[in-house]
């Protein structure tokens, strides 16, 4: 289900030649992507990601893939992509914290598909905490980090915190975009 009444269609794909999976994983509804032989990513190798420098975000295909996946309703899958970047970043520092922030947004999407508003809110609160920390690390004058608007991310977290039940969608459709926003990268 692309788009919804509360959100326009997602932005253009960053990696348009890469095929999206046939379903967005939701526990108990679809085969686990990596562990189940019927999973859409079964036996695929984990992405190899080198250390990511914030100013070179456009060269990190796994980071971009995570954005595409998220914007098109593949929340579990985007979590996995960003987790690979988080690991490559040493799980500490500004880039790692930024990946963790995006992972929390993705986890909120998973919880929305599972029908768990308390999980949506918990992950959105953690995303907001991480965002506040990142803003302090990069300085108050910096409006963007790794191609994304920090003020927009703050608004998104606040929207989820204020109304976590508003994005719940437990339909059995293969893909459902539940987030009322898209991650739009800077074209600069």
């Amino acid at each position: 289900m692309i788009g919804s009444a509360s959100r326009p269609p997602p932005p253009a794909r960053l990696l348009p030649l890469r095929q999206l999976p046939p379903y967005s994983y939701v526990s108990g509804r679809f085969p686990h992507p990596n562990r189940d032989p019927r999973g859409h990513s079964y036996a695929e190798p984990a992405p190899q990601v080198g250390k990511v420098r914030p100013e070179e975000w456009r060269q990190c295909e796994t980071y971009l893939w995570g954005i595409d996946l998220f914007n098109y309703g593949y929340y579990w899958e985007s979590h996995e992509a960003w987790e690979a970047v988080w690991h490559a970043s040493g799980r500490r520092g500004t880039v790692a914290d930024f990946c963790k922030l995006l992972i929390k947004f993705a986890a909120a999407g998973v919880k929305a598909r599972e029908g768990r508003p308390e999980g949506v809110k918990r992950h959105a609160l953690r995303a907001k905490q991480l965002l506040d920390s990142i803003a302090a690390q990069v300085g108050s004058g910096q409006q963007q980090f790794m191609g994304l608007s920090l003020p927009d991310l703050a608004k998104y977290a606040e929207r989820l915190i204020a109304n976590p039940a508003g994005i719940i969608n437990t339909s059995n459709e293969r893909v459902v975009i539940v987030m009322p926003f898209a991650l739009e990268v800077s074209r600069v």
Side-chain angles (χ1 to χ4, degrees):
M1 177 168 142
I2 298 294
S4 70
S6 62
R7 180 181 142 178
R13 299 254 320 268
L14 301 172
L15 301 173
L17 299 179
R18 196 155 175 191
Q19 186 173 352
L20 292 168
Y23 61 88
S24 174
Y25 178 64
V26 179
S27 180
R29 282 191 230 153
F30 303 107
H32 190 281
N34 303 331
R35 291 188 289 231
D36 190 312
R38 298 168 298 146
H40 63 62
S41 299
Y42 185 74
E44 285 184 14
Q48 299 299 308
V49 182
K51 187 160 177 74
V52 179
R53 296 176 44 157
E55 63 276 7
E56 296 173 350
W57 60 269
R58 285 182 179 88
Q59 285 74 49
C60 183
E61 189 171 307
T62 304
Y63 171 71
L64 300 175
W65 182 232
I67 293 172
D68 274 352
L69 289 165
F70 182 90
N71 285 341
Y72 280 78
Y74 296 87
Y75 303 109
W76 185 90
E77 293 79 1
S78 64
H79 177 290
E80 291 291 299
W82 290 325
E83 189 170 54
V85 179
W86 177 70
H87 280 287
S89 301
R91 302 185 323 195
R92 289 191 182 6
T94 309
V95 171
D97 286 349
F98 190 73
C99 289
K100 198 184 314 180
L101 154 72
L102 297 175
I103 288 166
K104 291 300 176 182
F105 275 137
V110 170
K111 296 305 177 193
R113 294 286 319 273
E114 292 175 346
R116 298 176 55 193
E118 71 285 347
V120 172
K121 186 171 186 172
R122 183 173 23 89
H123 288 297
L125 284 165
R126 183 65 179 127
K128 182 69 169 86
Q129 291 171 341
L130 287 162
L131 186 58
D132 292 343
S133 172
I134 292 161
Q137 292 173 50
V138 300
S140 60
Q142 189 164 335
Q143 296 292 300
Q144 296 210 346
F145 191 77
M146 292 185 65
L148 297 174
S149 164
L150 297 177
D152 285 351
L153 294 174
K155 283 190 291 189
Y156 303 154
E158 289 163 5
R159 284 170 72 183
L160 295 177
I161 292 164
N163 186 16
I167 69 165
I168 299 298
N169 186 323
T170 59
S171 80
N172 285 325
E173 293 184 54
R174 291 180 160 275
V175 181
V176 179
I177 296 175
V178 296
M179 289 297 179
F181 58 86
L183 300 174
E184 297 205 42
V185 299
S186 167
R187 299 294 176 195
V188 179

